[in-house]
């Protein structure tokens, strides 16, 4: 029976013109008419639609700025503050994430990897050990990193030496804490090594 009623309603809508479809009253209006007819002396109850706020309009392409603002903060320094850039690529735990002006608001956890900041034809690269990226709906990105080092300041021979050291520590670790510390060091230095080579 429900299937037949649905079929009738849908087939009626197909045959209606757009002007006729616009004349169809909303569900709240139909409810209010039925309520007044059934119980004319009582005020009608509030329906869910009366509590909902209208959804804000989405940003149009004309309102999206051509540049975005980035703030890069690490535990040792404030790398960038209110810098206008074209794009940022962060090493999120779910994979590389590109952030452009007008990006949807989000929060992403960062893993050890390369942070690329694109400004015109220039690309500035930082190695970050971990952190979070907060992307705001007003084209502002706040990147909070435990450590952020410009990639050109990293000595490749020190990275190789550190990899050998942490590999040795991992193989000789006797407690869970020593193993965890060695594994974290190995993971960070492996990511740093691949950032240098790639």
């Amino acid at each position: 029976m429900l299937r037949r009623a649905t079929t009738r309603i849908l087939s009626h809508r197909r045959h209606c013109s757009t002007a006729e479809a616009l004349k169809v009253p909303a569900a709240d209006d139909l409810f209010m008419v039925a309520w007044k007819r059934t119980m004319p002396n009582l005020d009608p109850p509030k329906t869910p639609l009366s509590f909902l706020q209208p959804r804000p309009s989405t940003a149009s392409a004309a309102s999206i700025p051509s540049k975005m603002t980035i703030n890069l903060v690490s535990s040792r320094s404030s790398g960038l503050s209110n810098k206008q850039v074209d794009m940022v690529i962060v090493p999120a735990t779910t994979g590389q994430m590109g952030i452009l002006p007008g990006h949807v608001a989000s929060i992403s956890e960062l893993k050890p990897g390369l942070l690329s900041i694109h400004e015109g034809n220039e690309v500035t690269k930082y190695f970050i050990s971990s952190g979070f990226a907060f992307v705001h709906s007003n084209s502002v990105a706040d990147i909070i990193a435990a450590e952020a080092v410009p990639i050109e300041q990293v000595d490749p021979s020190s990275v190789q030496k550190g990899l050998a050291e942490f590999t040795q520590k991992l193989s000789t670790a006797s407690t869970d804490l020593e193993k965890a510390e060695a594994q974290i060091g190995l993971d960070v230095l492996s990511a740093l090594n691949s950032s240098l080579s790639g």
Side-chain angles (χ1 to χ4, degrees), residues 178-190:
E178 290 173 346
K179 287 178 185 175
E181 288 175 346
Q183 186 63 52
I184 290 169
L186 194 59
D187 290 345
V188 169
L189 287 170
S190 296

Side-chain angles (χ1 to χ4, degrees), residues 87-105:
M87 177 175 72
V88 178
I89 300 174
V90 297
T93 54
T94 55
Q96 295 292 317
M97 182 173 93
I99 305 168
L100 293 166
H103 193 283
V104 66

Side-chain angles (χ1 to χ4, degrees), residues 113-168:
L114 202 58
L115 167 75
S116 302
I117 300 170
H118 299 257
E119 185 178 8
N121 292 332
E122 282 185 42
V123 178
T124 309
K125 295 181 179 182
Y126 290 85
F127 178 78
I128 59 171
S129 59
S130 64
F132 289 91
F134 300 90
V135 182
H136 307 281
S137 59
N138 61 349
S139 293
V140 174
D142 294 322
I143 299 170
I144 315 300
E147 293 181 63
V149 180
I151 200 72
E152 63 270 1
Q153 292 181 6
V154 177
D155 179 25
S157 61
S158 297
V159 174
Q160 294 299 325
K161 187 176 171 182
L163 274 170
E165 181 183 320
F166 278 105
T167 304
Q168 173 66 29

Side-chain angles (χ1 to χ4, degrees), residues 19-171:
E20 290 174 348
L22 292 175
K23 292 179 188 173
V24 175
D28 266 3
D29 296 339
L30 291 174
F31 175 77
M32 294 302 167
V33 169
W35 182 270
K36 297 253 187 225
R37 188 179 35 211
T38 310
M39 300 186 181
N41 297 334
L42 289 176
D43 290 333
K46 296 222 180 247
T47 61
L49 288 177
S50 63
F51 292 104
L52 296 177
Q53 298 295 324
R55 181 177 252 169
S57 63
T58 57
S60 66
S63 67
I64 295 176
S66 61
K67 299 267 187 185
M68 65 178 293
T69 304
I70 180 172
N71 299 305
L72 173 61
V73 179
S74 69
S75 59
R76 297 184 186 185
S77 67
S78 175
L80 301 170
S81 181
N82 291 326
K83 180 153 180 142
Q84 296 290 312
V85 298
D86 295 319
M87 177 175 72
V88 178
I89 300 174
V90 297
T93 54
T94 55
Q96 295 292 317
M97 182 173 93
I99 305 168
L100 293 166
H103 193 283
V104 66
S106 61
I107 300 173
S108 297
E109 182 181 2
L110 304 178
K111 65 180 181 179
L114 202 58
L115 167 75
S116 302
I117 300 170
H118 299 257
E119 185 178 8
N121 292 332
E122 282 185 42
V123 178
T124 309
K125 295 181 179 182
Y126 290 85
F127 178 78
I128 59 171
S129 59
S130 64
F132 289 91
F134 300 90
V135 182
H136 307 281
S137 59
N138 61 349
S139 293
V140 174
D142 294 322
I143 299 170
I144 315 300
E147 293 181 63
V149 180
I151 200 72
E152 63 270 1
Q153 292 181 6
V154 177
D155 179 25
S157 61
S158 297
V159 174
Q160 294 299 325
K161 187 176 171 182
L163 274 170
E165 181 183 320
F166 278 105
T167 304
Q168 173 66 29
K169 283 184 179 180
L170 185 61
S171 63

